[in-house]
Amino acid sequence: MGRRITLTALVGAFILLFSLGHTIRTSGPVMATSGATVVTETMVAPRTLDLTIESPAMGGEEKVRLLLPPGWSRTASRTWPTFWLLHGGVDGYTAWTRDTDVEQLTATSDVLVVMPNGGRCGNYSDWWNHGQGGPPRWETFHMTELRQILERGYRAGRARVIAGNSMGGLGTMLYAARFPGSFRAAVSFSGYLHTLHGHRPGNDSTGWGPAFACPGTDWRRVWGDPDDQAAIWHAHNPYDLAGRLSGVQLRVTSGNGRRGPLGGSILPDLIESATYDHAQVFSGRLRSLGIPVTTRFYDGQHDWPYWQRELHLAYPSLLEALNR
């Protein structure tokens, strides 16, 4: 018996080692209603599965990284709750596994972690494109195509929570507000949560200065001009959508831009200073509406050591929300 178990273990280990890093085309494409299809899967680590999805919403292929829970199987009779984790600007779907220990943090959790590509400056929105519409349509890709694919082919359940850093913090609150009932909890780490904060009508400003983070991007492709297309801006501003977050377990955190205990520059971090202001006014707006929110403000800057710490602090409450 002991010999048989050893042989089985060796065969299993060989199969795992052989499969890691190999890309395979799916034999039965997992499709969304739109026709979005998983075209390849790549196991990049024992529980890290990368999907390549041909997406009509995006007009091409996009990547998604999954962290699979213990015992996961696409043929299982059960489903798993999902934890959506969004990345920030000028980054991609590998960000959280590259710069934090999220893989270790979630290793024993009964949760499917979903980390989709959101574009370097996609803003988790379907772009206006000067009134022409069309790709990129990040919101449609994530909230319709990807969600259907996960539920139809990867045993994702209907219990969901969401978190994200920087631009991903914006996306977190946008998705929770624009799709009521989709997420039980939403957490923003250093997110831009009032996209019109400081905007003065007629001054040709996009409000929150995204060109500082993504130079060269035509920001009027995203939501248009903040005056001429004000309705689109308000429809994608978490501050304006705050009333739709009632019933969602909310957490908002940000540093103040000063060097903190986890390091950083001796010079003030202007990006984190801005997210600090956003977090203050957004959480104040929630409280004025009678919507509970947990906040954490600290000495710190716009960098991964702080976001990893905040993820660890937030994670227990995210699991509680999934289990309630």
Side-chain angles (χ1 to χ4, degrees), residues 269-319:
D269 183 335
L270 298 181
I271 295 178
E272 193 72 1
S273 297
T275 71
Y276 180 84
D277 291 342
H278 283 230
Q280 294 277 354
V281 297
F282 177 69
S283 57
R285 172 65 173 162
L286 288 169
R287 288 177 176 136
S288 74
L289 295 171
I291 298 174
V293 57
T294 299
T295 57
R296 254 184 58 82
F297 303 114
Y298 53 84
D299 288 339
Q301 298 183 340
H302 207 71
D303 205 359
W304 285 103
Y306 295 98
W307 297 326
Q308 170 161 296
R309 182 189 66 185
E310 295 307 306
L311 174 62
H312 276 256
L313 293 173
Y315 193 57
S317 64
L318 289 170
L319 291 180

Side-chain angles (χ1 to χ4, degrees), residues 99 106 141 176 192 195 244 262 297 304-306:
D99 283 312
T106 62
F141 171 56
Y192 288 94
T195 56
R244 302 178 68 175
L262 300 181
F297 303 114
W304 285 103
Y306 295 98

Side-chain angles (χ1 to χ4, degrees), residues 22-319:
H22 280 67
T23 299
I24 60 172
R25 297 195 70 86
T26 57
S27 56
V30 180
M31 297 183 65
T33 302
S34 69
T37 306
V38 177
V39 293
T40 61
E41 297 177 344
T42 305
M43 286 295 298
V44 298
R47 53 183 289 260
T48 305
L49 178 64
D50 284 359
L51 308 180
T52 302
I53 298 174
E54 181 67 35
S55 163
M58 296 303 299
E61 294 183 351
E62 287 298 336
K63 295 278 194 177
V64 178
R65 173 160 289 183
L66 305 179
L67 292 179
L68 305 175
W72 177 89
S73 167
R74 70 171 71 252
T75 60
S77 59
R78 59 160 294 184
T79 61
W80 279 264
T82 57
F83 171 28
W84 289 59
L85 191 53
L86 308 182
H87 67 77
V90 199
D91 219 324
Y93 71 102
T94 65
W96 280 96
T97 53
R98 182 195 67 221
D99 283 312
T100 76
D101 65 351
V102 65
E103 186 173 358
Q104 290 74 33
L105 176 65
T106 62
T108 61
S109 301
D110 198 35
V111 173
L112 176 65
V113 184
V114 180
M115 294 169 286
N117 194 38
R120 289 173 58 82
C121 297
N123 287 283
Y124 297 95
S125 302
D126 290 358
W127 285 22
W128 181 65
N129 283 326
H130 303 290
Q132 300 303 307
R137 293 187 292 151
W138 292 105
E139 180 183 275
T140 298
F141 171 56
H142 294 146
M143 296 305 297
T144 301
E145 294 179 340
L146 177 56
R147 189 166 69 172
Q148 289 177 354
I149 283 170
L150 294 174
E151 292 174 1
R152 294 173 181 181
Y154 295 89
R155 307 308 296 153
R158 301 297 177 90
R160 309 178 198 90
V161 295
I162 189 168
N165 67 306
S166 193
M167 183 183 78
L170 164 69
T172 290
M173 294 303 170
L174 276 183
Y175 286 173
R178 288 174 60 84
F179 296 86
S182 293
F183 297 98
R184 297 182 180 183
V187 180
S188 169
F189 308 121
S190 306
Y192 288 94
L193 304 177
H194 188 355
T195 56
L196 288 166
H197 184 57
H199 172 65
R200 298 184 305 278
N203 72 345
D204 196 34
S205 166
T206 52
W208 61 293
F212 181 77
C214 299
T217 299
D218 180 358
W219 289 98
R220 282 164 179 75
R221 284 187 60 201
V222 185
W223 300 314
D225 181 89
D227 295 328
D228 295 340
Q229 284 76 43
I232 299 175
W233 276 79
H234 288 300
H236 292 87
N237 185 3
Y239 180 89
D240 287 315
L241 301 177
R244 302 178 68 175
L245 291 167
S246 179
V248 182
Q249 182 177 301
L250 301 172
R251 185 181 182 96
V252 173
T253 78
S254 177
N256 54 19
R258 295 193 292 268
R259 180 182 172 89
L262 300 181
S265 171
I266 61 173
L267 299 176
D269 183 335
L270 298 181
I271 295 178
E272 193 72 1
S273 297
T275 71
Y276 180 84
D277 291 342
H278 283 230
Q280 294 277 354
V281 297
F282 177 69
S283 57
R285 172 65 173 162
L286 288 169
R287 288 177 176 136
S288 74
L289 295 171
I291 298 174
V293 57
T294 299
T295 57
R296 254 184 58 82
F297 303 114
Y298 53 84
D299 288 339
Q301 298 183 340
H302 207 71
D303 205 359
W304 285 103
Y306 295 98
W307 297 326
Q308 170 161 296
R309 182 189 66 185
E310 295 307 306
L311 174 62
H312 276 256
L313 293 173
Y315 193 57
S317 64
L318 289 170
L319 291 180

